[in-house]
């Protein structure tokens, strides 16, 4: 009996030490360190300039779309309302990541606080999810305009357009807030180096000392729902659009329409392929090294292409820009 009591006492003491250690470890990580791109560190100043130019070009392109859409009454249509909402989300999306990356290149400071890291992760996922749903809405908008022109203005009235954007934002918020909060409440006991250039969900999961299997499965289910739902809607819409284009009587009209659709589909394929590679994995900690390169596609390349592909090549936008420049010259 005495031996059993001694053994029991020692077990309790060990458990108390373990719990105290866990508590210390839980509060030990006050900040994380972003690894960035260590293999190209000597090219830091060159990469800073490249990313800065890409960031400024994307911000200016998307801001121009928002400004010209709200300034010119001819562009106040459902399509341009969705495009301006899309451009605003793109600006928020890249601003969540790129300024911190630029600061890392310029100053070499790679640390980020615990709260800032999870805030960045949530905003990135929330806005990214909203963008995918907005792309699906844009596809539906083009489908109705091309394939069902008689019903277009009736269905896509101002109230419906506003409601669709609000639904996209609400879905983005509620689908992403739960996994991020659950992960933020888990234990982080070191190491605290994130193998990425920003705080993404997968790398943060890898650093957790807790059992994150249920959180990873929840995130996988949410990511799959977002990507597959928006992708299926986009595929169905563009399939119908392509079928309608094939039926056009003029070869010139068919060629022009195919050129426009093909550029849209190229950008869509870049976005979906990179996100499927990153997020559609049941275990978020696998293939983390390849995530960095794929994430660059979504945070640098496609935000730079989207303003050109979706709007700035449009004749209506060209005319609106010319009119705006003419008014500025007359005012002088």
């Amino acid at each position: 009996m005495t031996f059993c009591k001694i053994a029991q006492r020692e077990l309790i003491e060990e458990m108390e030490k373990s719990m105290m250690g866990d508590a210390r470890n839980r509060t030990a990580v006050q900040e994380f360190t972003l690894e960035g791109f260590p293999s190209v560190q000597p090219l830091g100043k060159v990469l800073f300039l490249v990313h800065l130019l890409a960031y400024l070009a994307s911000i200016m392109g998307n801001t121009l779309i928002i400004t010209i859409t709200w300034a010119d009454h001819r562009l106040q249509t459902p399509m341009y309302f969705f495009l301006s909402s899309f451009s605003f989300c793109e600006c928020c999306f890249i601003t969540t990541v790129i300024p911190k990356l630029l600061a890392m290149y310029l100053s070499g400071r790679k640390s980020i606080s615990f709260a800032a890291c999870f805030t960045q992760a949530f905003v990135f996922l929330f806005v990214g999810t909203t963008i995918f749903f907005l792309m699906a809405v844009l596809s539906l908008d083009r489908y109705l305009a091309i394939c069902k022109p008689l019903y277009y203005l009736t269905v896509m009235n101002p109230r419906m357009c506003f409601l669709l954007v609000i639904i996209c934002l609400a879905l983005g918020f509620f689908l992403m807030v739960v996994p991020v909060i659950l992960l933020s409440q888990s234990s982080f006991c070191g190491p605290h180096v994130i193998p990425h250039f920003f705080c993404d969900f997968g790398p943060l999961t890898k650093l957790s000392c807790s059992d994150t299997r249920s959180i990873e499965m929840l995130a996988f289910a949410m990511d799959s729902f977002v990507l597959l739902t928006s992708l299926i809607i986009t595929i169905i819409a563009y399939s119908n659009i392509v079928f309608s284009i094939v039926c056009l009587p003029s070869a010139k009209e068919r060629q022009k329409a195919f050129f426009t659709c093909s550029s849209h589909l190229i950008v869509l394929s870049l976005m979906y392929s990179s996100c499927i590679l990153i997020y559609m994995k049941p275990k978020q900690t696998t293939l983390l090294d390849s995530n960095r390169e794929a994430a660059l596609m979504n945070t640098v390349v496609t935000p730079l292409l989207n303003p050109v592909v979706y709007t700035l090549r449009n004749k209506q936008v060209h005319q609106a820009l010319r009119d705006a420049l003419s008014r500025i010259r007359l005012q002088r």
Side-chain angles (χ1 to χ4, degrees):
M1 288 290 290
T2 305
F3 176 77
C4 290
K5 286 181 180 179
I6 292 170
Q8 188 178 11
R9 193 180 300 116
E10 289 178 352
L11 180 62
I12 291 169
E13 288 175 357
E14 288 295 326
M15 288 177 66
E16 287 175 349
K17 287 179 183 178
S18 176
M19 289 173 67
M20 288 174 66
D22 288 342
R24 283 195 299 270
N25 288 333
R26 185 181 292 272
T27 58
V29 179
Q30 298 297 323
E31 64 178 21
F32 296 102
T33 301
L34 296 167
E35 191 176 56
F37 298 95
S39 59
V40 292
Q41 198 166 356
L43 301 173
K45 291 183 179 179
V46 176
L47 291 172
F48 168 80
L49 185 61
V50 170
H51 285 102
L52 176 63
L53 291 174
Y55 175 67
L56 291 176
S58 182
I59 290 291
M60 286 190 291
N62 283 298
T63 304
L64 181 63
I65 290 166
I66 296 167
T67 306
I68 202 71
T69 298
W70 290 101
D72 196 302
H73 66 90
R74 291 168 298 183
L75 299 181
Q76 291 174 6
T77 62
M79 182 183 79
Y80 288 103
F81 174 73
F82 293 133
L83 283 171
S84 61
S85 302
F86 181 80
S87 294
F88 176 75
C89 288
E90 283 278 89
C91 290
C92 296
F93 184 70
I94 59 176
T95 302
T96 306
V97 175
I98 301 300
K100 178 61 180 176
L101 179 61
L102 294 173
M104 287 165 57
Y105 284 137
L106 195 62
S107 65
R109 180 176 169 78
K110 298 182 177 182
S111 60
I112 183 170
S113 69
F114 186 93
C117 187
F118 274 94
T119 301
Q120 185 188 55
F122 169 69
V123 174
F124 178 82
L125 293 170
F126 158 50
V127 179
T129 301
T130 303
I131 284 172
F132 275 106
F133 283 124
L134 279 173
M135 287 170 68
V137 169
L138 275 166
S139 301
L140 283 175
D141 175 79
R142 290 301 79 208
Y143 161 73
L144 286 171
I146 295 169
C147 304
K148 306 287 182 182
L150 296 177
Y151 300 98
Y152 179 63
L153 291 176
T154 305
V155 175
M156 288 297 179
N157 57 66
R159 183 180 177 183
M160 177 58 71
C161 294
F162 182 75
L163 183 62
L164 285 170
V165 172
I166 294 297
I167 289 171
C168 291
L169 288 165
L171 284 171
F173 181 87
F174 289 111
L175 287 173
M176 293 298 116
V177 71
V178 176
V180 174
I181 288 176
L182 290 174
L183 184 60
S184 69
Q185 293 174 345
S186 62
S187 177
F188 292 89
C189 52
H192 55 81
V193 178
I194 299 173
H196 214 310
F197 63 91
F198 69 97
C199 295
D200 202 3
F201 195 85
L204 284 170
T205 305
K206 185 181 179 181
L207 297 184
S208 177
C209 302
S210 305
D211 185 0
T212 59
R213 283 176 294 181
S214 59
I215 299 174
E216 288 181 73
M217 289 307 298
L218 175 64
F220 173 69
M222 297 296 186
D223 296 340
S224 300
F225 173 75
V226 172
L227 291 171
L228 292 177
T229 302
S230 59
L231 180 60
I232 289 167
I233 292 170
T234 303
I235 289 172
I236 292 171
Y238 272 97
S239 297
N240 283 279
I241 290 169
V242 169
F243 181 76
S244 297
I245 290 170
V246 171
C247 297
L248 289 173
S250 170
K252 189 177 180 180
E253 286 181 355
R254 284 199 301 270
Q255 186 179 4
K256 183 182 175 182
F258 271 123
F259 179 71
T260 303
C261 280
S262 62
S263 59
H264 289 187
L265 292 172
I266 288 168
V267 174
L268 287 168
S269 63
L270 288 174
M271 289 189 68
Y272 277 104
S273 59
S274 57
C275 283
I276 287 170
L277 176 65
I278 297 170
Y279 297 107
M280 285 194 67
K281 299 185 295 248
K283 191 166 177 61
Q284 290 288 320
T285 57
T286 56
L287 297 173
L288 286 176
D289 289 335
S290 63
N291 286 4
R292 274 178 273 204
E293 289 73 19
L296 276 176
M297 187 68 67
N298 283 334
T299 55
V300 178
V301 179
T302 52
L304 189 61
L305 294 175
N306 281 333
V308 178
V309 169
Y310 283 103
T311 309
L312 296 179
R313 295 188 310 155
N314 193 297
K315 287 183 179 179
Q316 286 179 294
V317 175
H318 289 174
Q319 186 60 48
L321 286 171
R322 281 195 290 268
D323 292 347
L325 289 171
S326 299
R327 285 195 296 269
I328 292 168
R329 289 196 193 98
L330 289 172
Q331 286 174 0
R332 289 179 180 177

